[in-house]
Amino acid sequence: MNKARKRVSTTAVLYWLVMSILFFDIVIQWNKQWESGLEADAEGESGRGQQGEIRKGGTSGNAVDADPYADIRYLALTFDDGPHPVYTPLLLDGLQERGVKATFFVTGENALEYPELIEHMQEEGHLIGNHTYSHVELSAVGQEVFLEELAKTSQVLEEMTGEEIIYVRPPYGEWNKEIEELCGMFPVLWDVDSLDWYSKNTDTVIRRVLADVEEGDIILMHDGYQSTVEAALYMIDELMAQGYEFVTVDELLFD
């Protein structure tokens, strides 16, 4: 009886000894895994922090290479049919006050009559383009006459400015590839038509343009009306306040 009890007692002691060893081994392994997890988390947090810095500003090299003009929205303001002896000077003065450059598509006959205004445009950095000699419509006069009008106007303007005339605004937007190949000029149409010649109303022109204009647009206007001058200067102020910048069509299309 005593021997049996002794065997049971010895067996129990051995059992609890084995179980204790296993328990402590499990605790040690779990502790190692827990510490490894903390290290991994710490490395993960460090990695996310570096990525956050890259997203915010990147390396110093990226900061140097970043385009400082990436957030600027550009528009091109264009005026046809001039120069006008009364309204073009008012428009030019308003553009100069605002530091804005525009594109003027002039007719040859008006350029000959008011050469001082062509000189004024050039001196203030505006782009001067060809709008035919007498504002002819391609479908009405035919290809030969149309080409003659372009050539005559380019000659007039080149003699006045000393520069080659590259850009053309065809009256009524009529153009074709054959004409382009024969004259060697680059046609500039438009995205937003102010219809200023139709309404001759300042508020109407302003509402129409501001409702339609988007980044990268070319706006069509005519510098032969008081209402156009008033509308153009108001729109410039409004759009510049919205973050737009005005450039000439060559800058908008090719820079």
Side-chain angles (χ1 to χ4, degrees), residues 66-87:
D67 183 0
Y69 303 105
D71 295 332
I72 300 177
R73 297 180 291 171
Y74 294 102
L75 296 171
L77 198 56
T78 66
F79 298 92
D80 289 6
D81 299 357
H84 187 280
V86 176
Y87 302 122

Side-chain angles (χ1 to χ4, degrees), residues 76-241:
L77 198 56
T78 66
F79 298 92
D80 289 6
D81 299 357
H84 187 280
V86 176
Y87 302 122
T88 301
L90 293 175
L91 177 61
L92 289 172
D93 289 345
L95 295 176
Q96 184 182 34
E97 289 173 5
R98 292 160 175 79
V100 168
K101 308 301 180 188
T103 303
F104 290 86
F105 291 100
V106 303
T107 64
E109 58 185 6
N110 284 342
L112 274 178
E113 191 164 358
Y114 309 107
E116 71 281 1
L117 293 180
I118 300 299
E119 182 180 354
H120 190 174
M121 292 173 186
Q122 185 182 30
E123 286 177 350
E124 295 184 357
H126 303 293
L127 182 65
I128 300 171
N130 191 324
H131 198 46
T132 74
Y133 189 81
S134 56
H135 202 273
V136 295
E137 187 174 3
L138 174 58
S139 60
V141 301
Q143 179 174 292
E144 184 177 350
V145 173
F146 190 81
L147 286 170
E148 289 174 356
E149 289 249 338
L150 291 179
K152 188 175 180 180
T153 302
S154 288
Q155 182 179 357
V156 167
L157 294 175
E158 287 170 9
E159 289 176 356
M160 290 181 179
T161 64
E163 298 178 357
E164 182 181 5
I165 303 302
I166 299 174
Y167 300 95
V168 54
R169 166 72 56 76
Y172 312 103
E174 288 197 12
W175 191 255
N176 60 53
K177 274 295 180 183
E178 187 175 0
I179 289 286
E180 186 171 335
E181 292 171 358
L182 290 170
C183 74
M185 301 182 74
F186 189 88
V188 178
L189 300 181
W190 56 86
D191 301 295
V192 179
D193 187 348
S194 67
L195 293 178
D196 54 347
W197 59 272
Y198 180 76
S199 68
K200 298 179 184 177
N201 181 281
T202 301
D203 291 338
T204 300
V205 173
I206 291 170
R207 284 196 300 271
R208 179 176 180 84
V209 174
L210 294 184
D212 293 342
V213 73
E214 297 178 353
E215 178 182 1
D217 279 352
I218 297 174
I219 303 169
L220 168 61
M221 304 187 81
H222 302 78
D223 52 324
Y225 311 100
Q226 175 72 31
S227 55
T228 293
V229 175
E230 294 171 352
L233 297 181
Y234 179 91
M235 290 186 308
I236 289 171
D237 292 340
E238 177 65 25
L239 291 168
M240 288 179 71

Side-chain angles (χ1 to χ4, degrees), residues 32-72:
K32 288 182 179 179
Q33 292 178 358
W34 180 73
E35 290 178 350
S36 297
L38 287 180
E39 292 176 359
D41 287 344
E43 290 176 359
E45 288 298 325
S46 175
R48 282 193 290 273
Q50 291 173 2
Q51 184 67 29
E53 289 300 317
I54 291 173
R55 288 177 181 172
K56 288 178 183 177
T59 65
S60 60
N62 287 340
V64 171
D65 294 338
D67 183 0
Y69 303 105
D71 295 332
I72 300 177

